[in-house]
Amino acid sequence: MPNPRIILHVDMDYFFAQCEEREHPELKGKPVVICVYSGRGGDSGAVSTSNYEARRLGVKAGIPISRAKKLAPEAVFLSVKMELYRSISDEVMETLRGYCDVLEKESVDEAFCEITGKVSDLEEAKLLAVKIKEEIKQKIGLTCSIGVAPNKLVAKIASDFQKPDGLTLVNPEEVTQFMAPLKIADLTGVGKKTGERLNELGVKTIGELSEMPAEELIREFGKAKGAWLKQASQGMDYSEVEEREGTEQIGRITTLKQDTGELNTIRTAINQLSEDVYRKLEARKLGFKSITFVAISTDFKIRTKTHTLSAPAKDLETIRNTGFELARAFLAEHLVLLRRVGVRVSNLIEEKGQKTLGEF
Ligand code: DGT
Ligand code: CA
Ligand code: CA
């Protein structure tokens, strides 16, 4: 037997809503609902997520906004501010990267971290997970839930096990025991249709699924899926934690000392942000092809302006100057006061210029 792997799955708690609570501390304790308005006017649209206060009132992701307003008329309703969440997500991912061998960003609010080479046993993994939670709390001001397990499948299920602010460790020897009582719907990767069919067959828990003969599952769901169900129900997963290409960006956002539309004040902020971004790039020996200026106005509207270079660059000057030019162009186009500004680079490439991380 090779040494078991140790993998973390980190999932931010009620992510979009928690970002809003961080930006507006007066929201804490109140039900908060994040909405995606369809643009068809009125309350047409759906709930993207909600904080736990709102969830207790029945307001969950996916329900119509009009229904949410009936369930929780006293709640605070906000529209999604993707730029803000993305920049906070970048901060989270950068923090995680410092702790792991390989980082696989799975979505805006979750990632797998391979830490097999960083710790020697589960006890050390636990200490590391606690440290990560503390750093994300202190530096970024958000809580997350972490699952620690010998593979990605079980780590992901474990991160969801004690939400919010949870930490769940699953020993290699305890995997089947941990999985057995869970509902089929908890098995990541099982879609609604498959779940319903299994229910019809009288299979309600992962443990019951693991007792079904592989042949029967294959007959029912086809070769690939049937075999996968059999394996997954036993908590087996050999997929690797892999860096995803082209998805990465490095960014920094700051709140201005006062709301302003003055280019000179904004330039000072851009210089500082550019240096922070540059230091991150330098430490990881990365170049970039795109630079983005992020502007958050006093009405909380978030707008961006991006410039893509004809050839990759890696120097501070290019970030700083392009950021400044983008800000100048932005202010010429918009008569607004800015509350926060940000600088971001994307289309990242490794400095040697051989292996590209970005798409060109
Ligand atoms: P939790 O359960 O504490 O992890 O809560 P969230 O809100 O972090 O839920 P998660 O991890 O499933 O999703 C992360 C973010 O993705 C969430 O804050 C908002 C967005 N999201 C989730 N589900 C939906 C959806 O059905 N529609 C839209 N538009 N956005 C969604
Ligand atoms: Ca989440
Ligand atoms: Ca998530």
Side-chain angles (χ1 to χ4, degrees):
M1 272 294 277
N3 274 340
R5 296 181 294 159
I6 304 183
I7 290 164
L8 307 190
H9 183 258
V10 181
D11 190 320
M12 303 305 294
D13 300 323
Y14 62 105
F15 185 53
F16 295 1
Q18 206 188 170
C19 291
E20 297 291 348
E21 287 183 0
R22 182 188 95 160
E23 295 302 291
H24 313 288
E26 68 278 10
L27 292 176
K28 286 238 167 77
K30 294 181 190 163
V32 176
V33 184
I34 310 301
C35 306
V36 182
Y37 290 93
S38 69
R40 259 179 259 116
D43 284 338
S44 139
V47 169
S48 165
T49 194
S50 56
N51 66 1
Y52 283 74
E53 283 83 352
R55 287 182 200 188
R56 276 195 285 277
L57 300 168
V59 178
K60 305 220 157 81
I63 71 168
I65 298 168
S66 52
R67 180 158 159 64
K69 288 203 169 163
K70 284 197 195 98
L71 287 166
E74 74 274 39
V76 180
F77 291 84
L78 301 169
S79 52
V80 283
K81 296 192 202 86
M82 226 31 228
E83 275 300 335
L84 173 67
Y85 315 145
R86 218 170 266 145
S87 73
I88 296 178
S89 168
D90 289 348
E91 291 178 48
V92 171
M93 298 301 159
E94 279 167 47
T95 303
L96 293 179
R97 191 178 293 283
Y99 286 98
C100 56
D101 304 322
V102 190
L103 179 79
E104 179 176 339
K105 176 175 167 181
E106 206 198 352
S107 75
V108 71
D109 87 321
E110 59 199 271
F112 292 102
C113 305
E114 168 98 49
I115 56 163
T116 311
K118 292 264 191 268
V119 296
S120 51
D121 56 26
L122 211 63
E123 201 45 49
E124 277 184 28
K126 182 181 176 181
L127 295 177
L128 191 75
V130 168
K131 214 162 149 209
I132 290 174
K133 279 168 66 76
E134 278 172 5
E135 185 170 340
I136 292 180
K137 179 79 213 185
Q138 286 214 327
K139 268 193 14 196
I140 308 175
L142 299 180
T143 64
C144 63
S145 297
I146 299 186
V148 187
N151 62 52
K152 287 166 71 175
L153 176 78
V154 180
K156 183 161 168 115
I157 296 172
S159 73
D160 200 45
F161 193 65
Q162 300 184 65
K163 258 186 170 299
D165 206 9
L167 174 56
T168 303
L169 291 101
V170 186
N171 261 308
E173 306 80 51
E174 291 168 354
V175 167
T176 41
Q177 204 183 320
F178 168 71
M179 303 269 284
L182 301 178
K183 293 191 296 295
I184 296 297
D186 293 328
L187 191 59
T188 317
V190 174
K192 207 167 156 226
K193 248 177 74 186
T194 306
E196 277 165 10
R197 181 68 193 126
L198 284 168
N199 248 304
E200 281 167 19
L201 295 169
V203 179
K204 300 267 182 339
T205 66
I206 297 178
E208 287 163 3
L209 178 61
S210 73
E211 281 157 19
M212 288 203 39
E215 307 77 64
E216 198 179 332
L217 288 169
I218 286 169
R219 202 175 332 116
E220 195 64 49
F221 300 103
K223 191 154 184 237
K225 186 146 194 200
W228 179 83
L229 282 168
K230 181 73 190 174
Q231 251 198 9
S233 67
Q234 297 167 294
M236 292 198 288
D237 170 30
Y238 301 102
S239 66
E240 293 195 15
V241 179
E242 282 173 321
E243 194 87 36
R244 294 199 190 170
E245 297 195 348
T247 52
E248 210 196 340
Q249 34 186 345
I250 292 177
R252 278 279 174 270
I253 268 191
T254 189
T255 303
L256 297 163
K257 286 201 189 69
Q258 61 196 43
D259 300 340
T260 184
E262 209 189 73
L263 195 55
N264 261 331
T265 315
I266 291 167
R267 183 208 290 266
T268 314
I270 288 178
N271 288 348
Q272 185 60 54
L273 293 166
S274 301
E275 276 176 36
D276 291 350
V277 168
Y278 173 70
R279 263 200 299 273
K280 286 277 170 196
L281 283 170
E282 206 191 15
R284 291 184 42 213
K285 302 229 178 309
L286 292 173
F288 57 89
K289 246 191 120 180
S290 299
I291 306 101
T292 300
F293 170 67
V294 183
I296 302 169
S297 43
T298 43
D299 57 2
F300 294 110
K301 253 214 169 82
I302 300 171
R303 301 183 187 84
T304 58
K305 254 187 123 55
T306 299
H307 177 72
T308 298
L309 306 163
S310 49
K314 58 177 187 181
D315 61 306
L316 172 60
E317 281 298 284
T318 303
I319 306 175
R320 204 158 52 193
N321 294 343
T322 314
F324 178 68
E325 285 311 319
L326 290 168
R328 186 214 296 276
F330 176 88
L331 287 171
E333 287 164 27
H334 301 92
L335 249 180
V336 287
L337 290 182
L338 299 186
R339 181 174 173 267
R340 284 161 71 75
V341 293
V343 172
R344 184 169 77 208
V345 294
S346 54
N347 272 332
L348 304 183
I349 56 157
E350 289 191 1
E351 244 176 44
K352 286 186 201 87
Q354 278 160 2
K355 193 179 151 207
T356 61
L357 290 170
E359 284 167 33
F360 292 95

